[in-house]
Amino acid sequence: MYKTDYHMHSVYSDGRSSPEEYIAPAIAAGLSEIGFSEHLTLFKDLEDWNMNPVNISPYINNIQTLSNNTKTIKIRTGLEVDFFAGKEKEIREYLRPLPLDYIIGSVHYLGEKTVDVGPEFYEGKSIDSLFEAYFDSVLIAVESDLFDIIGHCDLIRIYGYTPSCDMEPLYRRLARAMKQHNVAFEVNTNGRNRPLADFYPDRRYLHIFRDENVPVCVNSDAHMPSRVGQYFDEAYDLLRSAGYKEMAVFEKRTRKMIPF
Ligand SMILES: [Zn+2]
Ligand SMILES: [Zn+2]
């Protein structure tokens, strides 16, 4: 079976290892194609988890050279770009000249803080309001037409807080927008390693993405080589049981669908 993993972080952002060190574990995990997706966060102070933009060219050159020199597995060049509503034009101008295979758009920030900074972010706040604000932001990211894949579309679940409102309409609205704007989503297996202890998005709503015919890929969001391709058999089984039969692959920002 052809498997891809397009969401991996190396030392260019907050991963533990060099891109080269991911190759052998990816092959051992049975992957046919991988891609690096370093954090790029414009409009915020540089933090230790995002790539310094001065490294964008060295990063792309490194991955392209690695790709050209590696015959045993396909290697793609991507980014995981933080989305900020109102900054669409600037993000588009920044990304336009970059020779990328795909761009993952992610919402980490709600206001000045990221929703994965720690459970204290949620204390004293309305969980319903946070979920609604997060989904609103992801929806605007989808509608921006900036991205090929939306990263962990319900990251707001990371610490296991659950809203009291019915989430089904929010997932439905998001899935419809993804289809309309031709954006894929990912089953992100890294949620299993976080307090949530399950994948993103919530498996109870996967059928909605299938109903709306949204393209999907399975990604690990690995920050260390041992996590590349982690839990993928389970993720593909989950997708099969939701009715999925094919997944999205990317090259030079063009998507193709292949069966699994
Ligand atoms: Zn992320
Ligand atoms: Zn990531």
Side-chain angles (χ1 to χ4, degrees):
M1 182 185 147
Y2 198 91
K3 289 188 211 161
T4 61
D5 188 349
Y6 289 134
H7 196 152
M8 309 189 332
H9 298 275
S10 79
V11 288
Y12 280 99
S13 60
D14 58 346
R16 307 264 179 92
S17 303
S18 68
E20 290 74 11
E21 291 172 277
Y22 282 79
I23 307 305
I27 293 167
L31 304 180
S32 305
E33 185 170 332
I34 55 171
F36 292 89
S37 58
E38 307 299 347
H39 288 289
L40 180 80
T41 311
L42 305 170
F43 322 112
K44 295 280 182 192
D45 290 340
L46 191 61
E47 299 210 43
D48 55 7
W49 57 272
N50 39 43
M51 176 162 67
N52 188 329
V54 304
N55 287 328
I56 189 83
S57 290
Y59 161 63
I60 291 173
N61 291 338
N62 185 334
I63 304 304
Q64 288 183 338
T65 303
L66 187 61
S67 178
N68 292 338
N69 294 338
T70 305
K71 303 299 167 216
T72 44
I73 188 167
K74 271 187 201 157
I75 302 173
R76 303 295 185 202
T77 315
L79 282 176
E80 181 181 13
V81 177
D82 269 281
F83 178 72
F84 298 103
K87 296 289 190 185
E88 291 85 348
K89 188 164 170 282
E90 291 89 339
I91 297 173
R92 183 168 283 108
E93 291 303 311
Y94 185 92
L95 295 173
R96 193 195 304 279
L98 304 179
L100 299 167
D101 290 307
Y102 59 89
I103 300 171
I104 300 175
S106 292
V107 174
H108 298 106
Y109 285 88
L110 275 187
E112 288 309 303
K113 294 252 167 65
T114 64
V115 299
D116 55 353
V117 69
E120 62 277 8
F121 175 83
Y122 297 76
E123 286 166 15
K125 296 194 177 97
S126 157
I127 300 303
D128 285 8
S129 300
L130 287 177
F131 270 67
E132 283 165 12
Y134 189 84
F135 273 72
D136 284 349
S137 187
V138 176
L139 183 71
I140 303 169
V142 169
E143 292 171 344
S144 73
D145 296 319
L146 284 167
F147 308 117
D148 305 297
I149 305 168
I150 294 296
H152 44 60
C153 70
D154 56 3
L155 179 67
I156 193 78
R157 293 167 53 244
I158 184 167
Y159 297 110
Y161 288 100
T162 51
S164 62
C165 57
D166 177 16
M167 290 299 294
E168 179 147 350
L170 296 186
Y171 282 95
R172 180 72 65 181
R173 184 181 66 164
L174 190 57
R176 281 195 179 139
M178 286 172 166
K179 180 62 187 174
Q180 191 186 343
H181 288 269
N182 201 24
V183 187
F185 76 110
E186 60 172 12
V187 170
N188 181 313
T189 62
N190 193 36
R192 181 63 64 81
N193 301 314
R194 310 309 300 270
L196 167 70
D198 205 357
F199 302 154
Y200 312 101
D202 191 327
R203 60 179 70 212
R204 292 175 300 168
Y205 302 112
L206 258 188
H207 67 96
I208 294 176
F209 294 86
R210 177 58 273 179
D211 286 352
E212 302 295 340
N213 204 17
V214 184
V216 67
C217 34
V218 175
N219 290 332
S220 69
D221 207 349
H223 288 67
M224 60 188 90
S226 62
R227 289 188 174 170
V228 174
Q230 196 180 29
Y231 311 124
F232 271 28
D233 288 342
E234 188 186 334
Y236 280 109
D237 284 346
L238 192 62
L239 284 171
R240 270 187 215 101
S241 63
Y244 272 99
K245 295 189 176 70
E246 52 180 22
M247 62 180 176
V249 295
F250 294 89
E251 183 176 7
K252 297 185 175 137
R253 303 212 57 199
T254 298
R255 188 184 73 222
K256 278 196 321 191
M257 300 304 294
I258 63 165
F260 66 79

